[in-house]
Amino acid sequence: MTDDPKDEPVLSPRLLNAARAHLEPPAPPAE
Amino acid sequence: MDERQLIDGVLSGDPAAERLFYDRHLDRVWRLAYRLTGDGDLAQDVVQETFVRAFSKLDTFRGESALATWVTAVATTTALNALRKVKRFRGHVALEDAHHLAQPGRRSEPDLKRRMAEAIAALPVGYRTVFTMHDVEGYTHEEIGIALGVQTGTSKAQLFRARARLRKALADFAGEWIA
């Protein structure tokens, strides 16, 4: 993320994928 | 229809403008509602309430931010209020899965997912909100600041603390952090 302070550790792609997969939203319900 | 025309259309009660407004912002609102509440039914309620509130408050929108950012702020406030009412973030690991969490040395993907779910659910709501919006959904600190009514510095500080807690909770996965 471009606005991260440089000295902050960030999640690895593997952890980020796990975080994003958790509660990944399904398609929005039809109205 | 550009943003100003869309707003004017909604303010004048034009159903086509309301529909377009809804369609343009639904995905963003739904995604945020779902992630912040951790519950599909609650998220649906949040989506409905968000658009009701957005339409009723649209006359107060002054264009100081992008319309999408303003809608995000309404959605975030609505979701967090809904969460406060139910008093429980439901996006957590079911109790019957909890025994899987106490097995040291396991680093399978299902294990990581469960551990991540547990770690995220254990975050204080403020940290979880900023982490979800920034690292998971890709909002900037400026957008998060506007959505939560805080300075960008506060958003950054909360993200820092959220990541620190996740790092501690997921210490078994050491080496998965990029400094």
Side-chain angles (χ1 to χ4, degrees):
Chain A
M1 304 288 172
T2 56
D3 57 347
D4 271 337
K6 291 195 175 94
D7 57 347
E8 285 186 16
V10 299
L11 280 78
S12 70
R14 185 181 176 218
L15 291 191
L16 213 43
N17 285 341
R20 288 175 181 155
H22 172 56
L23 289 181
E24 171 62 33
E31 207 179 356
Chain B
M1 202 183 282
D2 69 19
E3 200 167 276
R4 189 67 248 171
Q5 289 169 325
L6 183 62
I7 292 168
D8 290 343
V10 172
L11 288 175
S12 66
D14 175 11
E18 287 180 351
R19 181 76 225 190
L20 188 56
F21 185 104
Y22 180 83
D23 288 343
R24 275 195 194 171
H25 298 286
L26 173 62
D27 194 62
R28 170 186 283 247
V29 171
W30 164 250
R31 290 187 68 84
L32 214 44
Y34 193 92
R35 287 222 188 255
L36 293 183
T37 63
D39 179 276
D41 290 336
L42 196 56
Q44 286 191 50
D45 292 343
V46 167
V47 166
Q48 289 215 11
E49 193 181 332
T50 294
F51 283 102
V52 167
R53 294 179 76 200
F55 288 167
S56 74
K57 288 171 39 154
L58 196 52
D59 58 331
T60 68
F61 176 66
R62 296 278 171 263
E64 287 146 350
S65 66
L67 181 59
T69 303
W70 183 83
V71 174
T72 297
V74 177
T76 308
T77 305
T78 306
L80 294 178
N81 283 344
L83 204 53
R84 265 195 287 276
K85 283 184 191 159
V86 299
K87 294 186 170 66
R88 183 167 66 94
F89 176 65
R90 300 178 191 188
H92 58 275
V93 178
L95 284 179
E96 55 264 29
D97 288 333
H99 71 278
H100 288 295
L101 304 176
Q103 296 191 36
R106 290 194 56 204
R107 295 186 54 178
S108 66
E109 288 310 297
D111 199 46
L112 169 57
K113 283 179 182 161
R114 283 191 207 100
R115 294 276 300 278
M116 179 61 78
E118 182 83 357
I120 290 172
L123 290 173
V125 63
Y127 297 179
R128 185 172 65 240
T129 302
V130 174
F131 172 74
T132 298
M133 291 183 78
H134 188 278
D135 281 2
V136 178
E137 286 289 315
Y139 288 88
T140 64
H141 287 296
E142 188 184 358
E143 288 171 319
I144 295 167
I146 291 169
L148 300 181
V150 300
Q151 302 284 329
T152 56
T154 302
S155 178
K156 290 177 181 176
Q158 297 219 303
L159 179 64
F160 181 86
R161 289 180 199 125
R163 286 175 178 170
R165 289 213 185 185
L166 291 176
R167 197 159 59 243
K168 188 174 173 187
L170 299 164
D172 288 1
F173 299 89
E176 292 281 358
W177 293 84
I178 301 166

